[in-house]
Amino acid sequence: MSSVPPEPDVSVVVIVYNDEDRLPTAVGSVLGQSLRNVEVIIADDCSTDRSYEVAQTLAAQHPGKVRAIRLPENSGGCGEPRNQGIKVARGRYVMFLDSDDTLETNACRNMVEAADRTGADLVSGLCVRVHTDSRHGKRVPWYPWLYRSTRTLDSVAELPDLFVFDTLSTNKCYRRSFLLDNELTFPRGIHYEDLLFSAQAYLAAERITLIPHTVYFWNVVQKTANKSISNRRGEIRNFADRVEIHRRIDALLKERGEDELKLRKDIKFLKHDLVLYLRELPFLDDDYRHRFAGLARPYVQTFSDAAYAELDRVHAICAQLLLREDWDGLMPAVDTLINRNKISAPLAERDGRIYWTDRHLDDPEMRAVLDVTSLGYHAKQLHQMFLRNRLTAYTVRGADVVLAGEVVNPLGVIAPDAKLTAELEFRARRRSLQTFRFPVPAPRHRGDHIAWRAEVPLGRRLRPLGIVDDVWDVRLHLTADGKRTTSRLTVGDVTLEGVADVPVRPRLTRLMADRLHAEVSAKGHLAFRLAQHGQLARAGRAAVERNLHSRPARAAKSAYRSLRSLRRELNSGTRKLQVYEHLLTRLPVRKGTVVFESHLGKQYSDSPRAIYEELRRRGTPVTAIWSYAGDRPEGFPEDVQLVRRWSWSYLRALAQAEFWIDNQGFPLRLSKRPETTYIQTWHGSALKRMGFDEPGTRMLSEAEQRTYQRALDRFDHFVVRSEHDVRTLARAYRIPEDKLLRTGYPRNDALVRAAQGTDDPEVRRLAERLGLEPGRQVLLYAPTFRTGRDGRVSDFVFPFDIEEFAERFGDRYTLLVRAHYLNRLTLPPSVAGRVLDVSREPDITPLMLLADALITDYSSVMFDYALLHRPIVFFAHDWEDYAQDSRGTYFDLLAEAPGPVPRTPEEFYAAVEDLGALRTTYEARLKEFVDKYGEYDRGDAAARIVDRFFSAAGGAR
């Protein structure tokens, strides 16, 4: 009697079509699995090369482990070969593998164990995209946030992102009975079969388990002329198939009543699927564009308003212009969609608002979509703009290249009489290599564009090295009245095909390359790639490349990479911490050295500034060093000594300083040596719960809390301005009594002096610089820090109509708006002169001195401004959300506020109508508020701190 082969744990269906060279590697990744009871089914889609013969050979070499089947005719896709594999599979579970990909060694074991343990119908693991033609072995995890931990779902609706984003069929393990019982098969004769199959499987599965293990390596070749089916987005059938697959998925979701999944899928279609095709449109003809729009329009018009509401402004503009087939407006919008910081359209201003185009503005719906005021384009200066530079001509004349283009001139930022100069820059894409520049004669102003043309002796002047600098990018530097903007050359509808290559002479001889070939970069810009012509040149390059892979060359490259790696490692945060702890803190302390920092190096402001300026006023012999964050310092005095935050100079300064003075916190991981005195001035009294009073802090692990406490223990002295601070901040940060400095805030000395009638000349200079009209009262609006609905930092959104405010009060008040430094603020042009953005002012104190009244919500600025005894309006439009969230507040602002607390815009407008009445009505409550929350602010805080710590005798510490 013949023996029946044991049932495999897993049947891996490997599909192949004309891939004889890579098929053995794919099959080998299955045969090499740590789970041994695995079978391979090779399903050949009627290949025309030797793929089926290779499959038969593998089957003969591994009897009982490998089987080969062949479809009678080519199916034209991946679905039918998988279907046939499922039919003959014998395993308890089924997996799919493409012939150009591989499985991770433990993939089958990890997935089967998870399925057996949880009883899941479907187990999914992490897929990693391996860029096989990447010089540096680039690997990109596929939606890794889905696979950070093991979890089991009773329904895919519990995790919509899984349904929406991970639509692969290949990084999953399916119970075979589940596939058969639900008659799950891939669609035939249509592309994007994975999307529909995965949707069907997700919806049918009664239990889904996700595991935090890599299971599948998706090998990607980007530099290839033969694109995969899914990447042939210039073929109209490609998009037609995608839409059809999505329609079928929609029908499934409607049948099951999965409205939320449908919404999430539609959002993803608009944000991702549609964009893949939009970015190709600039390079395709009008016939394709028209057919594409004809397919897109009837589908995306069925989406709900909620789906469109999730799009950002430029994305929504692209969608609406596509539906209207406005190609002239759409192509620039697509350029900005691909290059998010680029301004691609001339823009239009109407009634104080900025619009992407002046077309379609008679349609109220389109007018709202085209409104880009919030993007702040109008507030940028030329040197801050990345402008669209559309290539209008490209020809080759021997060794010369003739280039012409048009740089968009949004809102006429470049005046008609501006003095214009320009140059083209050709830069090797690999960093630290060569750059060549060529002048552009006589750029011309043409209304909403700047036209330019240049004949560049590229072949005669550009001297590449060869091989190591294969790709060259092109930029145009345009200067107008001394301000420069840099742009890339957008290719658009200028054809590069059929244009002759440019002859070139590399420094490593023509054996490396002999011409430059023009191409379009991934972002749609003009680039050049070194190429060769002729068999001799190709043979020479091949010989050089062989030598580049020889043992001496590999050793040299290894040494170079080691040096680069060492340089990166030496500048890593971990290495800097080690050097700081074990070396820098053993250097001698430099007496009289003080390191100042305000708001993590972002500003020259606040109490550290007040102490520093008191030291300067007295001529105290100290070495003062200020830290700054970012690429370049802004707002610091020209003569101050600066160090960049986290630089080696910064670390050494902190290690050797006698004093640290800041208002927020030097890097938490840096220890303070005992010889250094740390004066923490803090940055405001608290309404919101802080420190260890925050539930989030209390929920940290014990180790994390200890680390946090060690950072707080570095404070030698902590400045407070009232007993409220002692009861709240000091207790929340566990500051002992002997470390408290009851001096008040040095930053508030100027406010106390102003309340006593002392003028500050800096205030007059500020008023002149801001262009404030004499006689018009000034209101300062300083709201607290805001995040978006997802908790991330977002643009600031006014809780009232800023244009209506300007209309009502613009003839009486100038409103200064100071958003939190983490929030970006954009004002519409309609309020110019009446509402000013002062968010970039480094220090808020002069602004408070300038203001006749303060408008805030819950910002700690209320405690400081109250010292001026001027009116305060508390626009608490979302008090319940603010006060009743997980953090909570220390007191009820609505009960204690020393000013009106409007809750609606109309109440707010009424409150600011008469400042004189506010001053009279709330005078007594304001005094009580100051006595309670600013009792130690007496105007001499900076002097008292300097007297104590920097007197001639050194003072007591």
Side-chain angles (χ1 to χ4, degrees):
M1 186 173 71
S2 62
S3 62
V4 178
E7 179 186 52
D9 287 318
V10 183
S11 295
V12 180
V13 178
V14 182
I15 62 169
V16 62
Y17 176 72
N18 288 355
D19 198 16
E20 59 182 271
D21 293 333
R22 291 181 292 189
L23 177 60
T25 302
V27 173
S29 75
V30 183
L31 296 175
Q33 287 290 299
S34 58
L35 181 68
R36 305 308 300 168
N37 190 22
V38 176
E39 74 164 352
V40 182
I41 299 167
I42 305 174
D44 177 69
D45 198 12
C46 199
S47 297
T48 59
D49 67 353
R50 295 186 62 259
S51 292
Y52 186 59
E53 286 83 351
V54 172
Q56 289 178 309
T57 300
L58 290 168
Q61 292 171 346
H62 304 279
K65 294 283 288 184
V66 178
R67 287 183 286 155
I69 62 173
R70 188 182 195 191
L71 275 66
E73 60 182 13
N74 180 254
S75 67
C78 300
E80 188 57 21
R82 290 174 182 155
N83 291 337
Q84 296 304 316
I86 295 172
K87 285 182 179 180
V88 301
R90 296 185 297 110
R92 294 190 298 126
Y93 296 96
V94 176
M95 295 173 61
F96 304 111
L97 174 64
D98 293 348
S99 61
D100 53 348
D101 299 331
T102 58
L103 292 181
E104 195 276 336
T105 304
N106 299 300
C108 292
R109 178 180 298 280
N110 288 332
M111 300 184 93
V112 168
E113 286 181 352
D116 287 344
R117 184 178 66 254
T118 64
D121 294 321
L122 184 162
V123 176
S124 189
L126 180 65
C127 170
V128 174
R129 286 168 58 96
V130 180
H131 293 256
T132 57
D133 54 352
S134 167
R135 181 183 291 113
H136 305 294
K138 179 180 177 183
R139 295 188 171 208
V140 181
W142 188 250
Y143 301 113
W145 76 84
L146 297 171
Y147 299 100
R148 291 198 177 116
S149 62
T150 299
R151 52 181 158 177
T152 297
L153 313 171
D154 292 326
S155 167
V156 73
E158 296 176 22
L159 185 61
D161 279 0
L162 180 64
F163 182 90
V164 170
F165 293 104
D166 189 358
T167 56
L168 301 177
S169 66
T170 48
N171 61 331
K172 296 172 178 62
C173 178
Y174 310 86
R175 193 178 299 274
R176 184 163 64 95
S177 59
F178 162 72
L179 296 179
L180 298 176
D181 292 346
N182 289 278
E183 299 181 347
L184 292 178
T185 59
F186 289 86
R188 300 169 178 84
I190 189 169
H191 302 327
Y192 302 106
E193 62 285 321
D194 264 23
L195 273 68
L196 181 57
F197 180 85
S198 295
Q200 292 170 325
Y202 281 142
L203 293 169
E206 295 183 1
R207 183 166 293 178
I208 301 168
T209 295
L210 309 182
I211 59 174
H213 304 294
T214 298
V215 299
Y216 195 89
F217 294 115
W218 177 2
N219 295 322
V220 180
V221 181
Q222 289 186 317
K223 302 168 187 175
T224 177
N226 298 317
K227 294 184 178 181
S228 65
I229 292 173
S230 61
N231 284 325
R232 297 172 194 163
R233 289 185 280 273
E235 300 175 4
I236 197 65
R237 185 201 161 186
N238 185 290
F239 184 64
D241 282 359
R242 189 183 286 261
V243 171
E244 174 58 25
I245 287 291
H246 274 271
R247 287 187 184 278
R248 296 184 190 184
I249 296 172
D250 292 345
L252 281 173
L253 294 173
K254 182 178 181 181
E255 179 183 338
R256 292 173 174 267
E258 295 287 359
D259 296 339
E260 179 63 22
L261 287 180
K262 171 69 163 62
L263 172 61
R264 302 287 284 273
K265 186 194 71 67
D266 290 348
I267 293 170
K268 193 252 187 178
F269 186 91
L270 290 171
K271 286 187 171 184
H272 175 72
D273 300 55
L274 189 62
V275 172
L276 293 176
Y277 296 87
L278 286 175
R279 62 190 302 148
E280 302 289 335
L281 286 185
F283 311 104
L284 300 169
D285 58 32
D286 288 340
D287 178 63
Y288 176 93
R289 294 174 184 175
H290 177 68
R291 294 167 67 194
F292 175 76
L295 288 168
R297 185 184 302 107
Y299 183 56
V300 300
Q301 282 183 331
T302 66
F303 292 1
S304 67
D305 291 341
Y308 284 101
E310 293 295 320
L311 300 182
D312 60 40
R313 182 59 54 191
V314 174
H315 210 139
I317 288 171
C318 287
Q320 292 301 325
L321 292 177
L322 170 65
L323 296 180
R324 288 161 175 78
E325 296 194 42
D326 181 353
W327 308 120
D328 290 339
L330 177 59
M331 294 307 109
V334 169
D335 199 2
T336 293
L337 190 64
I338 300 171
N339 302 276
R340 283 311 180 106
N341 294 321
K342 184 183 289 188
I343 305 176
S344 299
L347 308 178
E349 182 177 345
R350 297 288 186 277
D351 304 321
R353 307 293 295 180
I354 306 299
Y355 297 93
W356 183 259
T357 176
D358 58 4
R359 297 191 299 276
H360 314 295
L361 295 183
D362 55 343
D363 179 344
E365 180 182 349
M366 278 299 287
R367 192 179 184 93
V369 170
L370 294 170
D371 189 333
V372 293
T373 309
S374 63
L375 298 183
Y377 294 148
H378 60 282
K380 293 180 180 292
Q381 298 182 38
L382 181 63
H383 68 278
Q384 299 171 313
M385 293 180 170
F386 175 29
L387 301 176
R388 173 176 165 90
N389 186 353
R390 185 174 69 91
L391 191 67
T392 57
Y394 175 84
T395 56
V396 176
R397 297 176 181 172
D400 296 349
V401 175
V402 178
L403 297 166
E406 293 180 338
V407 181
V408 70
N409 184 19
L411 301 172
V413 66
I414 302 175
D417 58 350
K419 181 181 179 182
L420 304 177
T421 59
E423 66 175 2
L424 284 167
E425 175 189 272
F426 291 75
R427 178 187 299 176
R429 188 169 293 177
R430 294 189 70 181
R431 289 182 299 175
S432 77
L433 294 177
Q434 303 180 89
T435 298
F436 296 86
R437 292 184 173 87
F438 303 91
V440 175
R444 301 174 303 284
H445 197 293
R446 288 187 177 172
D448 58 9
H449 290 86
I450 305 298
W452 60 271
R453 185 180 184 278
E455 185 165 347
V456 180
L458 200 59
R460 292 178 282 129
R461 291 271 309 280
L462 190 143
R463 297 293 308 279
L465 296 173
I467 294 184
V468 294
D469 52 356
D470 272 358
V471 183
W472 291 76
D473 293 315
V474 191
R475 293 170 174 81
L476 178 81
H477 301 298
L478 174 67
T479 303
D481 289 339
K483 293 183 178 180
R484 190 172 92 159
T485 181
T486 298
S487 59
R488 303 289 296 274
L489 277 55
T490 299
V491 175
D493 54 5
V494 171
T495 181
L496 303 180
E497 295 184 11
V499 180
D501 291 337
V502 183
V504 72
R505 293 183 301 119
R507 298 181 190 274
L508 297 178
T509 80
R510 284 197 170 95
L511 290 176
M512 302 298 98
D514 59 3
R515 56 201 169 106
L516 284 169
H517 177 72
E519 63 180 25
V520 183
S521 74
K523 295 286 190 178
H525 300 133
L526 179 65
F528 290 89
R529 184 177 296 275
L530 290 178
Q532 291 175 311
H533 178 74
Q535 188 172 351
L536 179 62
R538 287 194 292 273
R541 183 181 178 100
V544 172
E545 287 183 334
R546 283 196 299 272
N547 287 330
L548 285 174
H549 295 290
S550 65
R551 182 176 296 177
R554 287 199 303 270
K557 286 188 286 187
S558 176
Y560 172 70
R561 292 192 187 104
S562 296
L563 287 172
R564 288 183 61 189
S565 177
L566 177 61
R567 181 179 178 184
R568 286 195 300 269
E569 198 268 342
L570 286 175
N571 284 286
S572 69
T574 300
R575 178 61 65 192
K576 284 183 173 180
L577 283 171
Q578 291 173 343
V579 173
Y580 175 86
E581 294 292 342
H582 299 296
L583 178 62
L584 297 182
T585 54
R586 284 163 172 72
L587 296 174
V589 169
R590 295 187 296 172
K591 291 292 185 180
T593 298
V594 189
V595 178
F596 291 91
E597 186 171 286
S598 179
H599 294 301
L600 309 179
K602 293 181 174 66
Q603 297 175 353
Y604 171 71
S605 65
D606 214 81
S607 293
R609 173 184 174 176
I611 296 172
Y612 167 72
E613 292 182 350
E614 177 68 13
L615 288 169
R616 286 189 58 170
R617 186 186 67 78
R618 297 187 182 193
T620 306
V622 297
T623 301
I625 302 172
W626 274 87
S627 87
Y628 71 93
D631 294 331
R632 60 176 63 90
E634 294 183 0
F636 291 84
E638 292 183 1
D639 60 346
V640 75
Q641 183 178 342
L642 296 171
V643 291
R644 185 176 180 178
R645 206 169 194 262
W646 269 113
S647 67
W648 284 109
S649 299
Y650 175 79
L651 297 175
R652 179 167 181 170
L654 286 175
Q656 293 190 272
E658 185 180 6
F659 290 94
W660 292 1
I661 299 178
D662 90 311
N663 65 353
Q664 198 156 338
F666 287 106
L668 299 180
R669 291 176 292 174
L670 296 182
S671 63
K672 182 190 72 67
R673 58 200 299 179
E675 305 96 316
T676 301
T677 299
Y678 188 170
I679 303 173
Q680 173 56 256
T681 68
W682 204 241
H683 52 274
S685 298
L687 170 62
K688 200 80 165 178
R689 294 188 179 274
M690 307 290 285
F692 285 97
D693 288 346
E694 288 187 53
T697 304
R698 293 198 299 270
M699 290 175 64
L700 295 175
S701 67
E702 289 187 15
E704 290 171 322
Q705 290 195 35
R706 284 195 299 270
T707 299
Y708 187 38
Q709 185 64 59
R710 281 197 298 271
L712 297 174
D713 289 342
R714 297 177 303 171
F715 302 161
D716 293 298
H717 302 281
F718 188 86
V719 174
V720 294
R721 58 194 302 261
S722 68
E723 288 304 305
H724 169 75
D725 288 356
V726 176
R727 293 187 299 271
T728 56
L729 292 173
R731 183 177 59 83
Y733 290 112
R734 299 176 179 175
I735 310 295
E737 173 65 30
D738 61 347
K739 290 187 177 183
L740 298 181
L741 289 179
R742 288 177 168 84
T743 60
Y745 286 163
R747 72 182 187 192
N748 288 341
D749 291 348
L751 301 177
V752 175
R753 290 195 295 267
Q756 295 170 348
T758 303
D759 290 333
D760 190 328
E762 185 176 355
V763 177
R764 291 194 299 272
R765 292 193 296 268
L766 176 62
E768 293 172 1
R769 180 159 53 81
L770 295 177
L772 300 182
E773 293 185 18
R776 185 185 291 185
Q777 290 184 298
V778 175
L779 306 181
L780 173 62
Y781 179 37
T784 193
F785 171 59
R786 297 284 175 170
T787 61
R789 287 180 297 178
D790 57 1
R792 298 180 181 177
V793 176
S794 62
D795 293 349
F796 177 74
V797 178
F798 283 93
F800 57 92
D801 189 328
I802 190 62
E803 291 177 293
E804 181 178 354
F805 182 94
E807 280 296 312
R808 287 196 183 204
F809 303 108
D811 59 339
R812 298 163 52 194
Y813 302 143
T814 298
L815 181 66
L816 307 181
V817 183
R818 183 181 173 84
H820 191 278
Y821 63 83
L822 293 176
N823 291 130
R824 187 174 71 93
L825 170 69
T826 300
L827 295 174
S830 57
V831 302
R834 297 173 291 179
V835 182
L836 303 181
D837 178 8
V838 293
S839 302
R840 295 181 65 85
E841 290 294 324
D843 197 345
I844 194 174
T845 299
L847 295 171
M848 288 193 283
L849 293 170
L850 189 59
D852 295 287
L854 171 71
I855 302 165
T856 187
D857 43 17
Y858 323 112
S859 171
S860 64
V861 71
M862 69 175 82
F863 299 104
D864 304 319
Y865 190 83
L867 296 169
L868 290 167
H869 295 276
R870 299 174 190 172
I872 306 176
V873 176
F874 299 85
F875 189 10
H877 63 97
D878 58 351
W879 169 252
E880 285 75 19
D881 292 338
Y882 186 86
Q884 297 175 14
D885 71 2
S886 61
R887 281 179 63 180
T889 60
Y890 285 118
F891 63 90
D892 184 353
L893 177 65
L894 272 60
E896 293 195 38
V901 188
R903 307 297 303 279
T904 67
E906 281 301 324
E907 291 177 357
F908 166 60
Y909 298 146
V912 300
E913 184 71 37
D914 188 346
L915 298 186
L918 289 183
R919 188 186 300 271
T920 302
T921 303
Y922 291 95
E923 183 176 8
R925 290 187 63 175
L926 193 58
K927 184 178 183 304
E928 292 175 5
F929 193 81
V930 170
D931 291 343
K932 182 174 183 179
Y933 296 108
E935 57 189 301
Y936 301 131
D937 282 319
R938 299 163 186 160
D940 61 351
R944 292 174 65 188
I945 290 174
V946 170
D947 285 343
R948 175 169 176 178
F949 296 101
F950 300 96
S951 62
R957 295 183 192 168

